[in-house]
Amino acid sequence: MNWKTILTTVCTLAMVAYLVFAFVALSKPAEDKVCRELRVGIEESSVGGFLSPSEIRTMLTADNLSPVGRALDNVDLGKIERALEAKELIEKAECYTMLDSIVMVEVKQRIPVVHVINSVGENYYVDTHGLPMPASIYTRDLLVATGNISRSYAKNALAPMANKIQADPFWRSEIVQLNILHDGSVELIPRVGNHVVYLGQPTGISKKLERLRKFYLYGLNVAGWNKYSRVSVEFDNQIICKRNKK
């Protein structure tokens, strides 16, 4: 008995059966096909989002755009995409039909990276692209930014800093607050240690954070995390510390 021949024959028959099924399914008149299921995929993020597939379905139902139970010929995929992209929580949406009368919606959501509470009383989130989002829609703990923060500063300076911090697991857990001074310079408030870190102007952030990481590893781990009240990494190749009087 030639098992290889038998296996090849079985695979060939299975492929032929699938092609016949697909041909019959695709040959069925569009007006006779009814959407039987709406599937939703949401792009993963290291920071974490706030939308669920059920919320996407609820949005479409509220806008009378749910395709379930409708003839596929009457489902406007483009209209579904535009309606979802008009939502302030969604960055991009793609909608298409699959075999077995399934409509698939893939969503990329806007991800907030920093919570702004500025000196003039504004309270909002900023997403990965530096665009504002209302604070009321999101409850998860985030990096907080306070002080002199205009919308322009939030987009061009604050968001890039927050993206770098959020992308690094160590800094994401260690830094809890950014304070922006009147001249646009930046202070960091760490979770561990009784000190404030001064970054200076929001330039060369990656190098400054790496220098601070080495100072934490080789300096404060030995000297003690509460030895200094202020640590400055503003200038290249040096770290300036102010001793804690206590």
Side-chain angles (χ1 to χ4, degrees):
M1 183 179 294
N2 191 331
W3 289 103
K4 184 175 181 181
T5 301
I6 294 175
L7 182 60
T8 301
T9 302
V10 170
C11 291
T12 301
L13 290 175
M15 180 62 71
V16 170
Y18 173 79
L19 291 176
V20 170
F21 170 78
F23 176 78
V24 171
L26 293 174
S27 298
K28 188 177 181 181
E31 60 271 15
D32 292 339
K33 295 181 184 178
V34 174
C35 175
R36 66 179 185 84
E37 182 184 351
L38 171 63
R39 292 184 184 174
V40 178
I42 299 178
E43 183 176 305
E44 295 291 334
S45 167
S46 61
V47 177
F50 38 80
L51 287 175
S52 66
S54 62
E55 288 172 307
I56 299 298
R57 293 188 181 94
T58 299
M59 289 178 184
L60 292 178
T61 299
D63 291 342
N64 196 30
L65 289 175
S66 176
V68 178
R70 295 187 180 184
L72 290 177
D73 193 44
N74 295 327
V75 175
D76 190 334
L77 302 178
K79 189 174 182 179
I80 291 176
E81 291 176 349
R82 292 190 295 273
L84 289 175
E85 289 174 355
K87 309 295 183 184
E88 59 187 4
L89 308 184
I90 296 175
E91 179 178 336
K92 181 70 177 176
E94 184 177 356
C95 185
Y96 53 90
T97 57
M98 304 171 64
L99 289 176
D100 299 332
S101 299
I102 295 172
V103 173
M104 182 72 193
V105 173
E106 294 185 352
V107 170
K108 181 178 181 182
Q109 57 185 321
R110 294 177 63 194
I111 301 297
V113 291
V114 60
H115 183 183
V116 173
I117 306 173
N118 65 18
S119 56
V120 296
E122 290 182 314
N123 182 3
Y124 59 93
Y125 290 104
V126 172
D127 71 8
T128 52
H129 302 293
L131 300 177
M133 303 173 65
S136 59
I137 62 173
Y138 197 79
T139 58
R140 186 174 302 174
D141 289 337
L142 274 181
L143 176 68
V144 175
T146 57
N148 254 4
I149 306 172
S150 65
R151 295 297 174 105
S152 175
Y153 187 96
K155 180 177 182 178
N156 299 314
L158 184 59
M161 277 192 294
N163 284 332
K164 292 181 186 298
I165 291 169
Q166 296 288 6
D168 188 306
F170 175 77
W171 293 122
R172 189 164 65 242
S173 62
E174 171 62 8
I175 299 173
V176 296
Q177 183 178 340
L178 301 174
N179 186 45
I180 312 304
L181 305 181
H182 68 281
D183 61 351
S185 59
V186 184
E187 293 178 332
L188 303 182
I189 309 299
R191 187 182 304 277
V192 179
N194 187 24
H195 60 273
V196 173
V197 178
Y198 183 66
L199 292 183
Q201 293 299 316
T203 57
I205 296 299
S206 295
K207 290 182 178 180
K208 292 175 180 178
L209 289 178
E210 184 57 29
R211 192 156 66 250
L212 181 62
R213 188 198 304 268
K214 291 178 179 178
F215 176 69
Y216 278 178
L217 181 62
Y218 302 110
L220 295 190
N221 271 344
V222 177
W225 285 77
N226 295 322
K227 184 173 182 177
Y228 303 108
S229 62
R230 188 174 180 84
V231 176
S232 173
V233 292
E234 177 184 12
F235 303 110
D236 290 342
N237 303 317
Q238 60 178 293
I239 298 175
I240 302 172
C241 301
K242 181 179 180 181
R243 189 181 296 271
N244 195 329
K245 294 180 180 180
K246 295 182 181 180

